[in-house]
Amino acid sequence: MSTAHEVRPVARRGRSKAGSGMSAQEAAFLVIPALLPILILSVLPLARGIYLAFTDARAGLDVPTNFIGLDNFQELIHDDLFINAFKIGLIWSVSVTAIQFVLGLCLALLLTQNLHGRWLARSLALVPWAMPPVVVGIMWKLIYQPQAGVLNELLRRGNLPGENIDWLSSFSWALPAVIVVGVWAGMPQTTIALLAGLQAIPDDMHEAAAVDGATAWQRFRTITWPQLRPVIVAITTLDFIWNFNSFGLVYVLTEGGPAGKTELPMLFAYNQAFKYGEFGYAAALGCAMVVVIASGLIFYLWGRLREATA
Amino acid sequence: MRKILIPCAALVLCAALAAGAAQAGREAEAVKISFATYVWQPTTVAATKSIVESWNKSHPGIQVTIVPVDVNSVHDKLLTNFVGGSAADVIHDEAADIAGFTQQGYLANLSPLISKRFKASIPQPLWDTVNFGRNRVTGVPILMQTYNVFANMDILKAAGIKAPTAKSPWTWTQFRAISKRLTNANRFGVCWGLRSPTAAIQTMSLNFGGQYFYLEGGKWNFRWGAAEQAVARNIHDMIYVDKSVDAASAGLSGSAVLPGFFGGKCAMTVQGNFQAQGMILQGPRDFNWAMFPLLKGTSQNQVANPQTLSISQQSDHKREAMQFIEYFANAANLAKLAAGDWLIPANPASGKIILKSTKRTGSWRVATSSVVHFRKGNWVSLAAYARWKAEVATPQFVRYLKNEISLDELGKQLSDGWTRVR
Amino acid sequence: MIVSSHPKRSRTLQYGLMLLYIAFLGFPLLWMLSVSLKGPRELVELYPSLIPDEPTLENYRIALDDSDLIQSAVNSLKIAFATALVTTAIALPASYVLARRRGILTTFGLGWILLSQMFPLILIIIPLFLLLIDLGLTNSHIGLVLVYTVWALPFVLWMLQSYVRGIPRDLEEAARVDGATRVQILIGIIAPLLAPGIVVTTLFAFITAWNEFFLALVVLQSADLYTLPLKLKQFVGIEGIVRLGPLAAAALLATIPSLILFAIIQRWLTRGLLSGAVKG
């Protein structure tokens, strides 16, 4: 999902009359076209999906589905491959989100400076956003290709080690390699969000501080950072959630290999469902993933709460 | 009243009869069958299309439409089709893959539908590979592959090494010795892409009789005996003891080692026999290569995991579908398909046709003469095998070939994994 | 703006960093372009170079000749177009309500927008897939458009409602005082002011549907119904015969529509959307 909007509840004071005199009937009429599909194709399937997690639903001609309670979850906890996928998922999400944030912030800061050619950096910063994840995967596969790929060639020419490594097949390098691609693909939304946040900070504050003799670092610490924090928390949380749910990119790059070293939870769940037909089990996996994401969300809400009361 | 009633009744009767006749006529009209196939090579796609066209022309009562399936996600797509009840009538897949679908009940039993003549055209060992117990045959074997040694003949000639012949093929011992001889400071004896080694190892293990899975007391158990260990051990030792296989290239996929082979970084490479096409299309212009007969352990047997044609259990036109399959896989048509994909046809008569019509007699002769060495591998028929292969076998074999675990540890991991997955 | 106290030194540092970024962001694309211009023999060379030795447009010809590729591009076009239209059409009235009216419905709406981002697709796709089977809509473009619409609704709703918020209420109230009905207000006042927002939202929904992979992977089975991302993925897995050149060419061609559309809307996207969010 690539959107760079922030999630901020609206604080409207003094205008809380029942909105522009719209009757409940009118509102309902306008909302129905959107509400119906949402209910039928989103809310209901979600409920059914959660229900499936407690059944033994699987593929097979005329195979009955039985309610089995928490059996799937019990099996989950003991499933080494699931635990591996989960671990990989966390490593991936945290790494990609953190690196995205640092690089994105750096770039956003750079883009606020009056440099020649920043239009180029800015346009390029948006390109990964416009590209289908599949194409991003293909592109980086071409780079990482051991024989005809450019990375190894550059290493060889620079007399650097690693020219013979098959990055996407190496047990130790596959995950880092994939993380780099994840960062590349996610730079746009992070950079843009942070840039917007930076640009929202009034210049006078900086100028006043500069006049008072504050260094760049001091100004960053005392002015920029506090003002930017809500944006940072918002985009970082969203990034984490999107990254944890990521599928297409890694699927194209490695399909979870080698030997499960890059098997994100979504990939594992997809295989369980659509390769082995274990629908109930896969649904249980999905529920487990929701728990992780929910905790991420709680972190976000806690951050907002702190900021609101600070 | 009666004056009107009788003509009316007669009219109604006539109408009913006419409708009935029309209905019967419509039913005698075309039966529509869909044929899901994952052929992707341009030559094979063209061959498939032309065969289907000629069928449609000569069989106006049974019309076949091709439903293309993505070769990379055949299993996933078939599964979702089956679950959704929208599977095609005729399904192109491979023997090891249909084991799972057979167990799930999605494939029809073809035994009562296959004509005697057709059955006789394909050797019995190949029929064994698609027999899932109690004469339940759920697929027709059509195309197979073997693993062969390809060699850079210039290097071999310069070293004074003679190529093996059909009568005196190389044994594994000879293969290792020669690889070692050909290894020097500038090149390796063999380039071997072992990123997904399971298929190669298990297929060739039959050289030593290693089946891996044995029926004991009604259950399929995993055994890790000397026969099973032989091929894996040989490969491992070639990398780390003989040092005749480049450890770095061992992480590459089978075809990714070709540039090194073409560039003279190694004297030989082990590939699927279909890679002869790669040699021709990608090799440098005067590259002098040859495909050797199958390696020999105690025998030259390799496991057959043929591409298959099955019929969906949910199909309403099983008889018609079988008729089409027998036409599609007759000697002449099968020859066209095999030639397009550079795979070995199940029907020996097709092999003869190919030999007569190709210039590449060297590799094709080796390929077609390999048909006698195909045997059933027990693992091909096990429904849980696919999962064991993906989740256990491949990771563990890779670890062994990266020298991270010992041979005994490998056996233990494979065995424990099977217990968990089956 | 952060102005440093050592202009010259930090300037060099900044330019250096910016160059690194440009290299990091731009080089992969450049490489793909390079691969797309190389012939099959050159692609198997052991030591590749950035500039092709014998540049050729053959890969593009192969890619464009591939009728399946063109077919999948047409499929993508149809589906993305339909998704964008349908989604925007049903989201417009709903976003108006979300923006203007406080109440349970709006809380539910905004809450669901956020919540739906959270749920991993896998949890939804399985029952959705089973539901589509019951409706007979698997392996069909209509089914996919339905799925895409529901999937795209959250952020389309979000974007539109933030645009609506940007329109001052006073305009509406003035019109109502003058006796206009709700519909007249919607059509006469809101819609024209919302036009740029609608364009941006529609294009954004289009791009997202154009790029989408996972849902299409599950819903579509027949290769002739494939969308472009699925078709491209097909190119990737086929090892054995090198198709890297046409793959790169096809991938580049596939990205061009997204890039163009994105370039058009990016100004509004960043300005309009984010100012709406930041302000709101």
Side-chain angles (χ1 to χ4, degrees), chain B residues 318-388:
Chain B
K318 297 194 181 73
R319 284 213 177 275
E320 290 81 355
M322 193 64 225
Q323 285 178 42
F324 171 69
I325 291 179
E326 295 194 2
Y327 174 79
F328 191 76
N330 69 26
N333 289 336
L334 195 57
K336 275 194 225 150
L337 295 167
D341 257 355
W342 289 76
L343 290 171
I344 305 172
N347 186 339
S350 303
K352 293 204 186 84
I353 296 177
I354 297 178
L355 273 179
K356 277 198 219 124
S357 59
T358 180
K359 279 185 262 168
R360 303 280 170 183
T361 44
S363 56
W364 272 112
R365 193 163 294 131
V366 173
T368 50
S369 59
S370 307
V371 177
V372 298
H373 297 299
F374 278 124
R375 291 291 179 278
K376 174 190 172 89
N378 289 341
W379 48 266
V380 172
S381 333
L382 298 176
Y385 176 74
R387 224 173 141 169
W388 178 81

Side-chain angles (χ1 to χ4, degrees), chain B residues 54-91:
Chain B
S54 74
W55 164 273
N56 283 341
K57 266 205 210 98
S58 53
H59 294 79
I62 308 175
Q63 292 293 293
V64 174
T65 41
I66 298 179
V67 176
V69 176
D70 176 9
V71 61
N72 300 311
S73 47
V74 174
H75 186 96
D76 303 0
K77 293 304 167 200
L78 285 178
L79 183 66
T80 43
N81 270 331
F82 283 132
V83 173
S86 61
D89 299 279
V90 179
I91 294 165

Side-chain angles (χ1 to χ4, degrees), chain B residues 188-231:
Chain B
F188 286 95
V190 181
C191 281
W192 204 330
L194 291 161
R195 184 166 74 179
S196 310
T198 315
I201 294 178
Q202 292 199 289
T203 303
M204 291 197 285
S205 288
L206 224 47
N207 283 171
F208 298 94
Q211 281 278 8
Y212 292 89
F213 298 98
Y214 299 88
L215 190 58
E216 290 155 6
K219 273 172 61 158
W220 285 97
N221 292 329
F222 176 81
R223 251 202 266 145
W224 184 241
E228 282 79 26
Q229 298 172 14
V231 171

Side-chain angles (χ1 to χ4, degrees), chain B residues 40-41 67-73 77 80-81 83-84 86 195 253 255 258-260 262-263 265 275 277-278 280-285, chain C residues 40-41 44-47 129-130 133 138-139 216-224 226 230 233-243:
Chain B
W40 57 274
Q41 297 242 41
V67 176
V69 176
D70 176 9
V71 61
N72 300 311
S73 47
K77 293 304 167 200
T80 43
N81 270 331
V83 173
S86 61
R195 184 166 74 179
S253 70
S255 54
L258 286 181
F262 294 141
K265 269 174 97 181
Q275 204 58 266
Q277 182 185 27
I280 297 167
L281 288 184
Q282 292 176 57
R285 278 172 190 96
Chain C
R41 291 244 148 81
V44 210
E45 267 173 26
L46 282 178
Y47 305 119
F129 176 70
L130 295 172
I133 291 177
T138 49
N139 203 28
L217 182 68
V218 175
V219 173
L220 299 175
Q221 276 95 50
S222 310
D224 51 353
Y226 269 12
L230 293 181
K233 169 69 171 71
Q234 239 188 304
F235 276 64
V236 171
I238 298 175
E239 299 185 276
I241 309 300
V242 167
R243 301 252 293 165

Side-chain angles (χ1 to χ4, degrees), chain A residues 1-198:
Chain A
M1 275 271 225
S2 36
T3 53
H5 56 264
E6 298 185 67
V7 182
R8 284 186 174 216
V10 172
R12 275 187 190 272
R13 278 162 287 221
R15 264 178 181 258
S16 46
K17 2 184 206 177
S20 310
M22 207 187 322
S23 68
Q25 257 183 330
E26 274 186 306
F29 178 68
L30 289 174
V31 161
I32 291 279
L35 195 62
L36 267 177
I38 290 175
L39 278 177
I40 300 178
L41 293 170
S42 183
V43 176
L44 278 179
L46 188 62
R48 185 172 178 193
I50 298 178
Y51 167 70
L52 275 178
F54 298 94
T55 67
D56 67 351
R58 58 159 48 90
L61 203 58
D62 304 325
V63 159
T65 302
N66 310 309
F67 185 80
I68 57 171
L70 294 172
D71 281 359
N72 279 334
F73 294 96
Q74 267 191 323
E75 201 184 326
L76 210 72
I77 301 180
H78 294 115
D79 190 345
D80 287 332
L81 287 162
F82 168 68
I83 296 178
N84 175 60
F86 210 75
K87 218 174 27 143
I88 305 272
L90 281 177
I91 297 177
W92 154 272
S93 308
V94 170
S95 311
V96 175
T97 309
I99 301 177
Q100 253 177 349
F101 166 65
V102 170
L103 289 184
L105 184 60
C106 250
L107 184 57
L109 285 170
L110 271 181
L111 287 177
T112 58
Q113 305 296 301
N114 222 339
L115 301 168
H116 294 303
R118 77 175 158 162
W119 62 270
L120 182 60
R122 198 197 139 98
S123 318
L124 284 176
L126 285 174
V127 161
W129 204 355
M131 298 176 67
V134 180
V135 176
V136 175
I138 292 173
M139 195 167 60
W140 279 92
K141 249 190 129 116
L142 292 175
I143 294 181
Y144 281 136
Q145 235 243 348
Q147 311 267 331
V150 69
L151 179 61
N152 285 3
E153 180 60 13
L154 287 175
L155 290 173
R156 187 186 70 90
R157 293 204 191 173
N159 280 322
L160 295 166
E163 68 175 85
N164 273 324
I165 300 182
D166 184 2
W167 302 93
L168 295 175
S169 300
S170 153
F171 273 24
S172 20
W173 290 106
L175 190 56
V178 163
I179 287 176
V180 169
V181 185
V183 169
W184 190 89
M187 284 273 288
Q189 44 261 47
T190 315
T191 311
I192 295 301
L194 291 172
L195 186 60
L198 283 175

